[in-house]
């Protein structure tokens, strides 16, 4: 974390005056749109794309160098890529990130644990975080995820991952809070805590171009969401997690407060650093500053996989100005985390949350 904090002044200057020109510290690599779930909140599986192959991704990682502090290997379902270990190994060798986060639906219970063990064993100097999705309990989860037996297989995967015991591996659980499960959040939380995850995070369901769900009306009512988040805020303070879980919780408690303000007041409540310190690369090599709008600023295949040529282009500058103007606002967790690190009052509150939790 100290490595990330030390870069804050340079990113602040990059956003303010355009210098020094920086590559993002937080990158999401969406390696496939393929998915074996059929979620009510996400239709990404309907999107077709010509995926970057392993050699192409290696060139992308090489062009980024050691800029990324935190990377997310996402999908679709990333474990559907047969070369996932090789891909993560390449990112580790080229970028040396401090954190590699991999979300999964947990369906491939016969494959996920062995691949994660390979990754954790090889990437020993990086914290590996695997977040398994649970949006309900039993049949409720299966209905939301559109696959019979999803819950049972996800639990099987979770228990196998917890049994790996790798010192640099943290196994968390992630819940998408939508209009479909908002009333059951307390029950879902109580059930999940019996599994003793290393961390627990939630994210509000959004309509995003990336997820191919615009117009789906999946976001819960503000009053219901506030009630659910207030419950989680009170309860999370009482639970015990590992070191990564405590850091995640400290960030999340402040993130939840920001989300409530964003949904209520409809503006950027803190400056957004999407396009400055965070970005996303789509399966076909398109570069996005933000996955909510998913507006490509260029494609890596057209610039010999040199990320900086797109990131420092005139088109990128134009979209940065638009984001900086505050015309858009969203509660996207991944990008908001990065923005929180660059907002001193928020960062101070996160630090205070962490101190208070460490005393318990």
């Amino acid at each position: 974390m100290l490595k990330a904090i030390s870069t804050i002044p340079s990113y602040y200057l990059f956003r303010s005056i355009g210098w020094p020109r920086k590559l993002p510290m937080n990158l999401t690599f969406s390696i496939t749109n393929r998915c074996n779930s059929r979620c009510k909140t996400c239709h990404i599986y309907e999107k077709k794309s010509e995926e970057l192959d392993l050699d192409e991704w290696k060139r992308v990682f090489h062009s980024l160098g050691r800029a990324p502090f935190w990377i997310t290997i996402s999908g679709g379902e990333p474990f559907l890529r047969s070369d996932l270990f090789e891909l993560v190994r390449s990112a580790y060798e080229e970028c040396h990130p401090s954190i590699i986060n991999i979300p999964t639906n947990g369906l491939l219970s016969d494959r996920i644990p062995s691949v994660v063990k390979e990754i954790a064993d090889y990437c020993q100097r990086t914290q590996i975080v695997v977040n398994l999705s649970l949006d309900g309990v039993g049949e409720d989860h299966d209905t939301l995820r559109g696959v019979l037996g999803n819950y049972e297989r996800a639990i099987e995967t979770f228990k196998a991952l917890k049994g790996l015991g790798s010192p640099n591996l943290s196994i968390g659980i992630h819940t998408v809070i939508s209009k479909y499960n908002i009333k059951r959040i307390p029950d879902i939380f109580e059930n999940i805590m019996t599994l003793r995850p290393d961390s627990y995070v939630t994210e509000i369901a959004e309509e995003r171009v990336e997820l191919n769900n615009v117009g789906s009306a999946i976001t819960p009512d503000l009053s219901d969401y506030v009630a659910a988040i207030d419950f989680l805020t009170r309860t999370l303070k009482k639970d015990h997690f590992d070191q990564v879980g405590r850091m995640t919780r400290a960030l999340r408690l402040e993130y939840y407060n920001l989300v409530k303000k964003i949904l209520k007041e409809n503006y950027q409540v803190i400056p957004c650093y999407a396009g400055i310190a965070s970005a996303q690369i789509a399966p076909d090599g398109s570069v996005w500053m933000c996955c909510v709008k998913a507006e490509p600023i260029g494609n890596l295949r057209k610039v010999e996989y040199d990320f900086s040529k797109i990131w420092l282009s005139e088109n990128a500058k134009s979209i940065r100005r638009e984001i900086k103007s505050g015309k858009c606002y969203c509660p996207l967790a991944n990008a908001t985390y990065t923005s929180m690190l660059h907002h001193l009052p928020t960062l101070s509150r996160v630090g205070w949350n962490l101190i208070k939790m460490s005393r318990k």
Side-chain angles (χ1 to χ4, degrees):
M1 183 57 71
L2 291 177
K3 175 185 173 183
I5 291 175
S6 68
T7 65
I8 287 174
S10 57
Y11 281 109
Y12 175 83
L13 290 172
F14 184 29
R15 187 177 188 275
S16 300
I17 62 174
W19 184 93
R21 300 190 298 176
K22 300 280 292 182
L23 298 184
M25 63 184 292
N26 173 8
L27 274 151
T28 296
F29 304 118
S30 294
I31 58 175
T32 185
N33 287 329
R34 290 176 287 142
C35 191
N36 46 358
S37 289
R38 294 295 181 265
C39 302
K40 287 187 175 183
T41 56
C42 173
H43 302 149
I44 196 170
Y45 60 88
E46 295 175 346
K47 298 176 70 173
K48 308 299 180 184
S49 64
E50 186 180 344
E51 298 173 1
L52 297 181
D53 62 29
L54 178 59
D55 287 337
E56 289 177 301
W57 277 115
K58 285 180 178 179
R59 295 176 70 179
V60 174
F61 299 146
H62 181 74
S63 78
L64 288 164
R66 297 198 177 191
F69 166 78
W70 167 18
I71 69 174
T72 298
I73 307 292
S74 185
E77 171 53 48
F79 286 92
L80 286 174
R81 290 271 308 225
S82 61
D83 57 356
L84 179 60
F85 167 66
E86 290 79 9
L87 195 151
V88 175
R89 179 177 64 185
S90 178
Y92 175 75
E93 291 173 344
E94 294 287 353
C95 302
H96 299 269
S98 295
I99 300 171
I100 296 176
N101 174 50
I102 309 174
T104 178
N105 59 27
L107 278 170
L108 300 175
S109 53
D110 57 344
R111 166 174 165 76
I112 294 171
S114 60
V115 175
V116 170
K117 179 170 174 51
E118 280 188 289
I119 291 171
D121 287 350
Y122 190 84
C123 307
Q124 293 185 10
R125 296 188 301 277
T126 291
Q127 180 67 47
I128 308 299
V129 180
V130 177
N131 276 319
L132 189 143
S133 296
L134 287 178
D135 294 345
V137 180
E139 292 181 0
D140 285 341
H141 178 71
D142 294 354
T143 299
L144 275 172
R145 292 277 165 167
V147 177
L148 185 65
N150 190 328
Y151 182 79
E152 184 177 334
R153 276 188 273 174
I155 296 299
E156 181 183 346
T157 299
F158 176 83
K159 290 180 177 178
L161 290 171
K162 287 286 284 183
L164 293 177
S166 302
N168 63 327
L169 177 62
S170 180
I171 309 301
I173 292 179
H174 171 271
T175 298
V176 176
I177 299 180
S178 69
K179 69 178 184 180
Y180 302 112
N181 64 359
I182 186 70
K183 300 290 189 180
R184 298 191 297 276
I185 291 302
D187 292 336
I188 294 169
F189 176 82
E190 295 296 340
N191 180 270
I192 285 172
M193 285 302 104
T194 65
L195 299 171
R196 300 187 67 82
D198 295 323
S199 62
Y200 177 62
V201 297
T202 69
E203 186 164 2
I204 189 168
E206 297 177 87
E207 296 181 27
R208 287 156 44 180
V209 173
E210 177 203 17
L211 303 181
N212 198 33
N213 64 358
V214 176
S216 58
I218 55 176
T219 304
D221 291 338
L222 176 59
S223 59
D224 288 338
Y225 182 75
V226 169
I229 288 304
D230 286 346
F231 164 80
L232 290 174
T233 299
R234 291 192 305 271
T235 313
L236 280 171
K237 291 178 180 179
K238 304 175 185 177
D239 285 286
H240 298 279
F241 297 108
D242 66 3
Q243 183 177 359
V244 173
R246 289 194 298 272
M247 176 60 71
T248 301
R249 178 173 53 181
L251 282 165
R252 279 281 158 174
L253 290 175
E254 189 58 32
Y255 165 74
Y256 292 145
N257 288 329
L258 290 175
V259 172
K260 288 191 292 185
K261 290 180 182 178
I262 292 169
L263 294 176
K264 182 178 180 180
E265 301 176 24
N266 295 326
Y267 80 104
Q268 282 184 22
V269 297
I270 62 173
C272 181
Y273 274 73
I276 298 292
S278 65
Q280 183 158 337
I281 300 175
D284 67 353
S286 295
V287 176
W288 304 334
M289 290 186 168
C290 168
C291 68
V292 174
K293 290 186 175 182
E295 296 175 344
I297 59 173
N299 189 287
L300 290 161
R301 283 177 166 142
K302 296 181 179 180
V303 292
E304 297 296 314
Y305 309 95
D306 186 343
F307 184 87
S308 63
K309 287 185 177 178
I310 294 174
W311 192 246
L312 303 176
S313 67
E314 289 302 317
N315 189 30
K317 289 180 183 179
S318 174
I319 296 179
R320 280 192 194 99
R321 287 192 294 268
E322 183 177 334
I323 295 173
K324 185 179 177 181
S325 72
K327 293 179 181 178
C328 59
Y329 52 88
C330 75
L332 181 67
N334 198 304
T336 303
Y337 273 2
T338 312
S339 300
M340 289 165 63
L341 292 178
H342 292 83
H343 185 247
L344 184 57
T346 301
L347 182 60
S348 299
R349 288 191 292 270
V350 170
W352 180 237
N353 286 339
L354 189 59
I355 291 171
K356 288 190 291 185
M357 291 169 193
S358 300
R359 290 175 175 174
K360 294 182 179 180

